[in-house]
Amino acid sequence: MPNTESLNVAVVGTGYVGLGTAVMLAYLGHHVTGIDIDERKIEMLRRGELPIYEPGLADLLHASESRLTWTSDYAAAIPEADVIIVCVGTPPLPNGHPNLRYIAEAARSVAQNLNGKFQVIVNKSTVPVGTGDWVTRILEDNAPDYHANRYAVVSNPEFLREGTALHDSLYPDRIVLGSASQEGIERLRQLYRRLLEQDFTPPEGVPRPAGLARPQFVTTSLNSAEMIKYAANAFLALKISFANEIAGLCERVDADIEEVVHGIGHDQRIGHRFLVAGAGWGGSCFAKDTAALISTGAEYDYDMPILQAAVDVNRHQRQLVVSKLQRHLHRLQGKRVAVLGLAFKPNTDDLRDAPAHDCITRLMELGAQVVVHDPVAMEQARREWSHLSYQEASSAYDAVRGADAVILMTEWQEYHDLDWEQAVASMRRRLVIDTRNVLRQLPSDTVLEQIGRRRVQETHALPMLPVGASSVHV
């Protein structure tokens, strides 16, 4: 795709955010070099292989490969870059503060290789308020022949959802830029012009939504841009925890959470998005961002009880899943429990803060035999969850065979489309705990437990069935 306004861009970090950003900018016509100190990742990318799973990313990578370079050498990418985008991780420390070690290392490495022309250093990582000023100090201390107007630091928070990252990148609802440098803002306006004008040809697998409005171009101070990212994620976490708290009351008063959120979501002040009950939120953002805001408040002797309550409700939801199981099976010692879904959400292999991890951990503590399946995240779990003891199943049907219960933890389409009549017929007891409220019709002799919903399928007793016994649809 020709682009007369193409820039040389360096992207530091090839995780979920950095990799998607690099490939998207290359697709829009910029010349992009991705930098990562992990040589394994770099070699994979040079071979055209992805170190992560994200729908559509492989196709876009191959379509843009002529404008993509991968390296572990800062000196090969930074000197000629017009824009340098930092996308490294900021994992939480035990006290809730984000660990800024990787930001500092990246900033020093970038600074040491700046070449003296005007360059824009963009922080896309999620960082506490004040980090942009801190990065500026690192540049001052480490850049050769530093000059105050030579380098601009801009905060450009990302608002991507794993599983739909390409859609969110190409069709954003807003682009937020925070900086004291107007020249830096204008450089990034040039970088994102095609997104702002929406004048690019959409990739085949990521069509432009009908009636899409052009993204809002929001400019702020550095501090406000950094706070916008935290505040956005905290508010979404609040909506989920609110829905879960209402769901708990719904179960007690014989109301249905899905009917309730459908009704209140039509209020334009509330909306339907993220107002979903289930096993709680997970992933790389919500937990660490709420913790970071709470810990920042504590630094200034400022309590944040609403955010703390959202965290507490989320923690409770993970225990609720096993409590529902115990209500029917009582003692779990020796029981066989199938867990369907390991990733924190569908269409990703990301296991960070996945509710399934806490569920499996608790099942192990109670003596259950755990069998798991996930369409994508099994290999990742072997590396990251080696401390857990469970059996892997090659298919969902193999996982549920002979099980005393099934817990649906991730709403993969594969599980929604499962032949549940065949699946439950192979179970020892026909108990399904659907933590994502996606299942509707199961065989009539199956107990279906969901979050905040009426039990429309339940018998007075939960009999033990011979494996393979037949069943009939409702």
Side-chain angles (χ1 to χ4, degrees), residues 118-133:
F118 179 73
Q119 293 173 286
V120 180
I121 295 84
V122 179
N123 190 6
K124 195 170 272 292
S125 301
T126 303
V127 294
V129 175
T131 302
D133 293 331

Side-chain angles (χ1 to χ4, degrees), residues 140-151:
E140 288 180 0
D141 294 340
N142 292 274
D145 192 25
Y146 178 84
H147 188 280
N149 296 320
R150 187 167 292 159
Y151 309 118

Side-chain angles (χ1 to χ4, degrees), residues 79-278:
E80 300 307 314
D82 301 303
V83 177
I84 300 142
I85 304 177
V86 178
C87 302
V88 298
T90 54
L93 294 166
N95 63 359
H97 289 291
N99 186 344
L100 299 181
R101 167 192 166 192
Y102 305 109
I103 292 284
E105 291 174 353
R108 279 192 293 269
S109 297
V110 167
Q112 291 161 3
N113 289 281
L114 295 171
N115 76 352
K117 67 176 183 178
F118 179 73
Q119 293 173 286
V120 180
I121 295 84
V122 179
N123 190 6
K124 195 170 272 292
S125 301
T126 303
V127 294
V129 175
T131 302
D133 293 331
W134 178 57
V135 168
T136 301
R137 301 291 87 75
I138 293 176
L139 297 180
E140 288 180 0
D141 294 340
N142 292 274
D145 192 25
Y146 178 84
H147 188 280
N149 296 320
R150 187 167 292 159
Y151 309 118
V153 174
V154 178
S155 175
N156 175 213
E158 54 82 17
F159 302 100
L160 309 180
R161 299 166 296 170
E162 290 173 35
T164 60
L166 287 184
H167 179 278
D168 297 342
S169 296
L170 293 168
Y171 313 116
D173 48 18
R174 80 281 204 196
I175 294 174
V176 175
L177 302 175
S179 182
S181 167
Q182 188 59 38
E183 191 175 359
I185 295 290
E186 291 307 315
R187 176 69 59 85
L188 289 194
R189 189 192 297 271
Q190 179 184 356
L191 179 74
Y192 291 130
R193 187 194 67 78
R194 286 182 172 247
L195 291 183
L196 292 167
E197 298 296 329
Q198 286 292 306
D199 62 356
F200 60 89
T201 302
E204 183 176 343
V206 194
R208 182 178 286 117
L212 178 73
R214 289 183 179 181
Q216 294 293 315
F217 191 72
V218 181
T219 60
T220 72
S221 68
L222 265 174
N223 285 2
S224 292
E226 291 165 345
M227 180 59 84
I228 284 169
K229 169 64 176 180
Y230 278 117
N233 278 349
F235 187 76
L236 296 177
L238 283 172
K239 290 189 75 173
I240 296 171
S241 286
F242 175 79
N244 277 324
E245 188 166 276
I246 295 297
L249 187 57
C250 283
E251 291 189 9
R252 288 158 176 79
V253 301
D254 195 31
D256 189 307
I257 186 60
E258 296 204 348
E259 294 174 351
V260 172
V261 297
H262 178 71
I264 67 175
H266 283 294
D267 187 325
Q268 294 182 6
R269 298 167 300 175
I270 299 173
H272 288 100
R273 297 181 66 185
F274 284 83
L275 203 60
V276 180

Side-chain angles (χ1 to χ4, degrees), residues 336-340 369-372 399-401 403-408:
R336 180 183 174 96
V337 180
V339 175
L340 299 184
Q369 178 191 19
V370 182
V371 184
V372 307
V400 305
R401 187 173 296 115
D404 293 288
V406 174
I407 303 178
L408 178 61

